[in-house]
Amino acid sequence: PLFAPRYMEKEVHAVDSEHAKNVQDPSRRLYEVLNALADPRSPVSRFRTGDLQTLSKGTESSDMRNELQGWFGKHYCPSRMALATYGSESVAAQLARAAQLFGNLSAGSRTCQEARKTWDVPAPYSPNRMGKWVTVLGTQPQPQLIQAFPLPDLTKEFKSQPSKYIKYILGYGGEKSLLTLLRDDLGLVSSFDVGVETDSTGALLIVSYSLSRQGLARVDIVLGAF
């Protein structure tokens, strides 16, 4: 990459615009609340995107260019990349073409050859940081209840995808499921969603309920059913 100063400045403003948009996003607001509950020593607790102030204030374009080039040199090398090809050509032809185009890539710096650092210690959510009840002033008329459960880092389990199994079991909406119990039998929720986010700090299982008026008054039953 050239890291041309004019394009760097343009990208900084693009990131700032995206951040300004996200500030108004209800889901992003909730995630920031969760991040604020994390251990201050963990990257999870820190500002995780960027804006004009954090990306450029007090920084000359030449300094920013040097920082970007340094980051690129430390973190972008073949050992940390993967290449996928597809097409009508045979596999052998695709491999030959890939070797022709990418075979002369530099091995990269010694730092880049090292194993990737993980950030799961200290744990973002230790036992004393769990079991909290937080009331958030929302911007939408639909009341929500959200449960968050810390899980180990699942990035190395990409082949077995255990998070998909969890999502399928909990998110199943058929007969005798949690959704039909809470929505159809008890009338406490209008919808129910399960998601898992994972990175090198660990994974987070998010269970979200859109509550009815009855559900807002009987949150204890919703939690008890889960």
Side-chain angles (χ1 to χ4, degrees), residues 20-21 46 52 59 63-64 99 111 114 119 127 144 170 179 189 192-193 200:
K21 172 183 65 67
R46 302 171 193 166
L52 202 58
T59 304
D63 295 335
M64 186 185 301
T111 302
E114 297 173 353
W119 302 92
Q144 285 189 310
L170 293 178
L179 175 60
V189 307
F192 170 75
D193 185 60
S200 64

Side-chain angles (χ1 to χ4, degrees), residues 4 23 28 49 108 124 148 161 179 185:
V23 168
R28 291 299 293 265
T49 55
Q161 294 289 320
L179 175 60
D185 299 341

Side-chain angles (χ1 to χ4, degrees), residues 1 37 44 57 81 86 137 142 188-189 200 218 226:
L37 297 174
V44 172
K57 185 176 181 180
M81 299 179 186
Y86 72 95
L137 181 62
Q142 178 76 57
L188 299 178
V189 307
S200 64
R218 297 309 309 267
F226 184 83

Side-chain angles (χ1 to χ4, degrees), residues 103-116:
N104 62 347
L105 285 177
S106 169
S109 65
R110 179 176 297 180
T111 302
C112 199
Q113 301 301 314
E114 297 173 353
R116 289 187 181 184

Side-chain angles (χ1 to χ4, degrees), residues 106-148:
S106 169
S109 65
R110 179 176 297 180
T111 302
C112 199
Q113 301 301 314
E114 297 173 353
R116 289 187 181 184
K117 184 177 180 179
T118 60
W119 302 92
D120 54 345
V121 178
Y125 303 99
S126 54
N128 65 317
R129 292 184 175 275
M130 293 188 280
K132 308 292 185 182
W133 177 274
V134 180
T135 301
V136 180
L137 181 62
T139 59
Q140 302 294 314
Q142 178 76 57
Q144 285 189 310
L145 173 65
I146 297 177
Q147 293 175 282

